[in-house]
Amino acid sequence: MQKTLVTIALAASLGLGATAAHADTLSDVKAKGYIQCGVTGGVAGFSAPDANNVWAGLEVDFCRAVAAAVFNNADSVRYTPLTSQERFAALSAGEIDILSRTTTWTMSRDTDLGISFVGTMYYDGQGFMVRKADGIESALDLSGAAICIESGTTTELNAADYFAANNLEFNTVVFVDQDEVVKAYEDGRCDVYTTDASALAAERSKFAVPDDHEILPEIISKEPLGPVVRQGDDLWFKINRWAYYALLEAEELGVTSANVDEMLGSDNPAVKRLLGVEGDFGAPIGLTKDWAYQIIKLVGNYGEAFERNVGPSTDIGLERGLNALWTNGGLQYAPPIR
Amino acid sequence: MAVQDNIGSSAPRTSLLNDPVVRGILYQIIVGGLVVAFFYWIIVNTAQNLAAQNKTTGFDFLFRTAGFDISFTLFPWSRTSFYWQAFLAGLLNTLLVAVIGIFFATLLGFALGIARLSSNWLIARVATVYIETIRNIPLLLQLFFWYFAVLKAMPAVRASFELPLEIFINQRGLMVPRPMPDAEFTWVLVAIVLSLIAAIAVGIWATRVRTATGRYPPRVVQAAKIADAVVSFLVAALAFSLLAQYVPALANASPLIWAAAVIVAAASLSRFAPYARAIVAFALTFVILATLLRAMFPVWHTAAIDIGAAIAGVVMGWILLEGTRNRPPSEGRFPIALLILIAAGIPALVYIVTGAQLAFEVPVLERFNFKGGVQLPPELVALVFGLTVYTAAFIAENVRGGIRSVNKGQTEAAQSLGLKEGDRLRLVIVPQAMRVIVPPLTSQYLNLTKNSSLGAAIGYPELVNVFTGTTLNQTGKAIEVIALTMAVYLTFSLLTSAFMNWYNGRVAMVER
């Protein structure tokens, strides 16, 4: 009792209260009027400021989708660029509501850091980029190479694992910031630049002569990249998870931002349920009936977001590959909305 | 009546609360209690919040396998090492940079500080411009500049600069042969340590005798003359045999080389010593420069390189000639040659007698990089260089302030004794300036140590990069990792501070 009194007196005198972890993110977000979204400092196609200095990318679109579902306005998002080192602390401390930042879903992160992974926005894998001039055919030729890596990533561990498993020698040069990693590789400090294959493609598109560099065929790891929320707030977690599934479901049912209004009159019961014409799937997660309609209207479906940000028509030029819908032989699969 | 009241009683009694001693104790108890309560509250609050965030805590992660690679460690490291070893690797790397940086920054800083006060206009201006430029650019920018400038300037691995003695420089760093001593070589190492101690002891003893009696002990003077001749002979032999590599006419004239060396040795005992010295200096400078430049710029004309090296050699010789023109006779000179001979000669003798072998593991070019030997990564070089250049500017200002604080009368008094400028500074001014220089110098040492954490930005694996970077991210144990790191820097700071305070106590003015 005495101790508590002292503590309370101190806390009061310092104007600080012992902050309990918040467990009602939806109310907080609604009170603020916007979602605080943690993104990268700039990986083209995933989250980077575009020519007009507006944040754009596949991961940015996820935050916009959640904002569309919550506020009926995809622009009610503010962005916090984070390094890979800062990201989890920023999420735990409540500085951001969603972390959508090329983050790999791993067991230790999901179970030990007080965070929860929502789903897999992009099935990725770690690759190697080298200079064509070096004449390297395969990652197995890389024994003795110097490798540039960003610190605090799964990349670091995967590289060590892969080289150890194949009895290859290597030495890593680890930088805190992505920019320095790329610069050091460009300046010739390293023979190899390794990170997720998608980011390699994004960085290569920014090089002076992209054709001087090639990405080796080996993909050495599973890197499921997805949005993350704080653990212990099931409602917010489910809002995020179903926003993601709505993007997939819309693509599967052929609903796009262009045809969503005419789809309101569709006879397909699955489309009716998705767009809130039949049943109310928004209420149980604290949203309106037309939550998915808003997402598709304002952001588009998963396929549109992919095509717009990283697809073959963009500078980054990634194929759908594993990220095709299950109906096209890919891994993207949403549970039914019913 | 009232008069009688005060008889036999002491001073009027005040209440306890107004007694200054009691009040002081009471205040301290209150403040102490508040501090303890504050920390208690911080700890309890942290623990509650960690529990609320579903995070596990504790230091047991230190004994888990790290699973990542570190580019530069002072002890063998593999991906199966533990996190505590990662911590140690980062710690040692930080210490390494701090120690080397402090050493060079002190030298450069003192030189600059004295240069800025120089009566030579040009030297003073150069020092001023250097200090003002370096002080006003953020350190991180300078580190980026050095790192990427150095990287860009270096050749690719295939086109490495080849220096003599199997030393290579390229974008992957500096590769030097690794000494591989055998069992007998321990005797040589022991001899090196012992003879170093002996040399220093002789030096101190000779100086003490000189301070007491005004002259060096006669035996030391005799030995110094002989040592002078021996060292001159050896250096001359080395210089001339190297020179013979460059002059085809001398290629097979080893008798000539020995004769020339003997002449130089003899001259060192006569009044022609300065000329002999200048000739040796010329030969050495020419050879070193010509070799380095030929290795680094193979595209240049060798004739142009040789002419440049010859000019540099002449300049070097002339500087020595001028510098030694009015040297005191050997009786009044510190017996530096003797000390060199003791420190280097005895181990050499032991080496020959024990038949120890010193093999070298030479770096060999493989597909991507050199393998074997000792490799110094460019990150380390850039960080040490950047920290040295930056901190030296601040140290220089401390030194300048310290020297300025010494009364001008001291300089005049030293002048009136006929001391030259170097001796004036060394014997009179700087010793008095030290008491002003040392306290802020301590701060600069601490700054340098803490600033080494910026090495994380240029990929040097020091404590912040390895531990609060990689380790924190792989384990997610933010509180524990940051606490350990803070403890390390705090310990460094306290140790440096304690040492400098001890030193300050030694150089402080002794009041009589």
Side-chain angles (χ1 to χ4, degrees):
Chain A
M1 188 66 213
Q2 198 70 39
K3 284 177 190 166
T4 353
L5 273 180
V6 169
T7 311
I8 290 167
L10 258 173
S13 69
L14 288 165
L16 299 162
T19 48
H22 266 293
D24 188 4
T25 313
L26 180 63
S27 306
D28 294 349
V29 164
K30 279 185 168 161
K32 275 194 306 194
Y34 59 88
I35 291 173
Q36 195 75 42
C37 172
V39 290
T40 66
V43 172
F46 287 82
S47 45
D50 65 7
N52 311 323
N53 229 347
V54 178
W55 284 92
L58 189 61
E59 295 171 321
V60 167
D61 278 347
F62 177 78
C63 285
R64 290 171 54 82
V66 178
V70 174
F71 298 112
N72 298 349
N73 175 5
D75 294 330
S76 304
V77 188
R78 295 191 187 174
Y79 299 96
T80 310
L82 296 165
T83 67
S84 48
Q85 294 192 2
E86 297 164 337
R87 56 188 163 180
F88 300 123
L91 182 64
S92 309
E95 287 169 33
I96 52 176
D97 306 310
I98 305 172
L99 175 66
S100 186
R101 189 208 170 285
T102 54
T103 302
T104 305
W105 188 345
T106 67
M107 179 165 174
S108 64
R109 285 174 176 178
D110 206 6
T111 56
D112 198 24
L113 298 185
I115 58 177
S116 294
F117 282 79
V118 170
T120 304
M121 273 301 270
Y122 188 93
Y123 287 97
D124 206 342
Q126 187 177 332
F128 298 107
M129 180 154 60
V130 295
R131 291 177 195 77
K132 277 184 183 163
D134 287 346
I136 296 158
E137 302 287 311
S138 135
L140 296 170
D141 299 346
L142 291 176
S143 190
I147 303 184
C148 282
I149 300 186
E150 187 182 2
S151 106
T153 52
T154 47
T155 316
E156 246 185 300
L157 303 186
N158 294 332
D161 286 356
Y162 179 79
F163 281 85
N166 290 297
N167 282 325
L168 304 172
E169 290 213 359
F170 74 116
N171 58 66
T172 52
V173 189
V174 179
F175 297 83
V176 176
D177 234 338
Q178 184 78 7
D179 294 347
E180 274 76 58
V181 183
V182 178
K183 198 160 156 34
Y185 166 73
E186 265 196 295
D187 283 352
R189 171 64 180 96
C190 302
D191 305 295
V192 189
Y193 168 34
T194 180
T195 183
D196 301 343
S198 59
L200 285 179
E203 289 297 344
R204 192 174 75 159
S205 70
K206 290 195 283 191
F207 282 153
V209 190
D211 267 356
D212 285 355
H213 305 270
E214 61 177 341
I215 296 171
L216 295 178
E218 281 88 352
I219 297 294
I220 65 164
S221 69
K222 293 187 290 185
E223 304 286 335
L225 307 179
V228 199
V229 295
R230 266 185 302 284
Q231 196 172 314
D233 185 349
D234 277 356
L235 180 64
W236 184 242
F237 173 74
K238 285 180 175 161
I239 290 170
N240 278 267
R241 186 157 77 177
W242 284 97
Y244 160 62
Y245 288 148
L247 291 169
L248 297 181
E249 189 77 355
E251 188 185 3
E252 192 176 327
L253 297 171
V255 185
T256 67
S257 55
N259 70 12
V260 62
D261 285 321
E262 61 192 75
M263 279 288 187
L264 284 172
S266 162
D267 295 334
N268 183 341
V271 174
K272 284 183 172 177
R273 285 194 296 270
L274 173 71
L275 298 181
V277 179
E278 211 174 83
D280 183 354
F281 295 91
I285 50 173
L287 301 176
T288 52
K289 197 156 54 165
D290 65 347
W291 63 283
Y293 165 85
Q294 296 291 347
I295 292 177
I296 300 158
K297 178 84 187 151
L298 299 171
V299 181
N301 66 31
Y302 180 83
E304 284 179 273
F306 191 99
E307 192 47 51
R308 181 170 57 225
N309 294 306
V310 296
S313 62
T314 62
D315 285 345
I316 296 152
L318 295 169
E319 297 296 332
R320 279 295 286 265
L322 292 177
N323 294 290
L325 289 181
W326 65 288
T327 47
N328 300 333
L331 294 174
Q332 293 288 8
Y333 179 106
I337 294 181
R338 63 179 322 138
Chain B
M1 280 175 64
V3 176
Q4 286 181 345
D5 276 357
N6 277 340
I7 291 173
S9 75
S10 57
R13 290 187 51 184
T14 52
S15 91
L16 259 186
L17 268 181
N18 289 338
D19 182 344
V21 177
V22 176
R23 276 174 86 150
I25 292 170
L26 194 67
Y27 287 147
Q28 298 204 31
I29 289 172
I30 291 172
V31 171
L34 283 176
V35 169
V36 169
F38 175 72
F39 278 102
Y40 173 79
W41 170 69
I42 290 265
I43 290 163
V44 168
N45 189 17
T46 307
Q48 274 176 349
N49 279 323
L50 282 175
Q53 287 181 2
N54 305 309
K55 281 190 177 178
T56 55
T57 50
F59 284 97
D60 50 346
F61 74 92
L62 287 171
F63 300 96
R64 286 187 216 143
T65 302
F68 55 87
D69 180 63
I70 299 180
S71 64
F72 176 78
T73 51
L74 295 174
F75 57 86
W77 168 271
S78 73
R79 64 170 293 283
T80 51
S81 304
F82 296 117
Y83 280 121
W84 68 264
Q85 286 168 304
F87 171 71
L88 189 65
L91 185 81
L92 289 175
N93 284 341
T94 295
L95 265 181
L96 178 76
V97 167
V99 170
I100 302 176
I102 282 174
F103 177 77
F104 284 114
T106 308
L107 289 186
L108 185 60
F110 267 80
L112 279 168
I114 290 168
R116 194 169 173 177
L117 291 171
S118 165
S119 48
N120 178 324
W121 185 86
L122 188 64
I123 292 178
R125 282 299 145 262
V126 167
T128 307
V129 168
Y130 171 99
I131 290 167
E132 294 306 334
T133 311
I134 295 293
R135 272 200 320 177
N136 293 309
I137 301 171
L139 177 57
L140 189 59
L141 290 183
Q142 291 188 39
L143 288 179
F144 279 146
F145 173 78
W146 293 124
Y147 181 59
F148 287 112
V150 166
L151 262 192
K152 277 216 192 316
M154 288 297 140
V157 175
R158 304 255 151 265
S160 301
F161 292 148
E162 281 191 53
L163 305 181
L165 303 180
E166 305 283 345
I167 297 174
F168 301 92
I169 300 180
N170 59 37
Q171 283 178 318
R172 303 284 184 273
L174 177 76
M175 327 282 165
V176 294
R178 179 197 298 274
M180 310 279 280
D182 62 350
E184 275 86 19
F185 200 78
T186 17
W187 293 113
V188 182
L189 290 179
V190 170
I192 288 174
V193 173
L194 289 181
S195 49
L196 263 181
I197 293 171
I200 291 168
V202 169
I204 291 173
W205 173 68
T207 314
R208 281 211 183 137
V209 172
R210 184 181 180 194
T211 316
T213 67
R215 55 186 67 234
Y216 286 113
R219 256 172 295 172
V220 169
V221 173
Q222 292 297 333
K225 277 186 181 171
I226 296 163
D228 240 349
V230 174
V231 170
S232 301
F233 173 78
L234 291 173
V235 173
L238 174 73
F240 293 144
S241 44
L242 285 176
L243 190 61
Q245 313 279 337
Y246 275 88
V247 187
L250 292 176
N252 297 321
S254 53
L256 197 63
I257 293 169
W258 293 120
V262 169
I263 291 170
V264 168
S268 74
L269 297 173
S270 70
R271 60 199 176 84
F272 298 112
Y275 299 101
R277 236 180 274 275
I279 289 166
V280 172
F282 164 81
L284 268 184
T285 311
F286 171 81
V287 169
I288 290 170
L289 266 183
T291 317
L292 280 182
L293 291 174
R294 278 187 193 191
M296 287 166 104
F297 307 104
V299 288
W300 291 8
H301 252 292
T302 49
I305 289 177
D306 289 353
I307 290 170
I311 292 171
V314 169
V315 170
M316 199 69 203
W318 181 77
I319 288 175
L320 262 187
L321 205 58
E322 282 300 296
T324 58
R325 180 144 302 209
N326 38 19
R327 284 203 332 175
S330 56
E331 284 76 13
R333 267 209 317 273
F334 186 71
I336 192 80
L338 176 67
L339 303 192
I340 292 173
L341 196 63
I342 293 174
I346 296 175
L349 271 179
V350 172
Y351 180 78
I352 292 162
V353 170
T354 55
Q357 291 289 318
L358 184 60
F360 282 95
E361 180 189 81
V362 172
V364 181
L365 181 60
E366 294 201 339
R367 168 151 193 188
F368 288 106
N369 196 0
F370 286 88
K371 206 168 149 34
V374 180
Q375 305 197 354
L376 283 184
E379 291 80 29
L380 170 68
V381 178
L383 183 61
V384 168
F385 194 82
L387 285 174
T388 300
V389 163
Y390 182 78
T391 315
F394 290 87
I395 292 179
E397 285 300 87
N398 296 342
V399 171
R400 188 169 69 108
I403 292 176
R404 277 251 189 268
S405 74
V406 178
N407 192 323
K408 196 166 168 22
Q410 297 289 327
T411 313
E412 288 164 354
Q415 271 171 329
S416 68
L417 287 176
L419 289 173
K420 295 205 302 291
E421 186 170 17
D423 291 338
R424 276 208 298 275
L425 279 171
R426 197 167 53 86
L427 299 168
V428 180
I429 311 297
V430 172
Q432 295 183 73
M434 279 316 263
R435 67 205 159 89
V436 180
I437 293 173
V438 168
L441 192 63
T442 311
S443 308
Q444 291 310 330
Y445 288 175
L446 300 185
N447 280 343
L448 190 143
T449 308
K450 287 178 299 196
N451 285 340
S452 70
S453 59
L454 290 172
I458 58 168
Y460 179 71
E462 44 67 68
L463 189 64
V464 166
N465 192 351
V466 172
F467 206 58
T468 58
T470 305
T471 303
L472 191 156
N473 273 281
Q474 303 302 1
T475 60
K477 301 275 185 284
I479 305 266
E480 295 85 339
V481 167
I482 297 287
L484 264 180
T485 311
M486 279 164 67
V488 165
Y489 283 109
L490 186 64
T491 313
F492 280 178
S493 296
L494 291 176
L495 286 176
T496 312
S497 218
F499 173 78
M500 293 300 276
N501 285 342
W502 166 83
Y503 181 72
N504 195 30
R506 282 201 47 198
V507 298
M509 278 259 181
V510 182
E511 300 275 350
R512 292 202 180 150

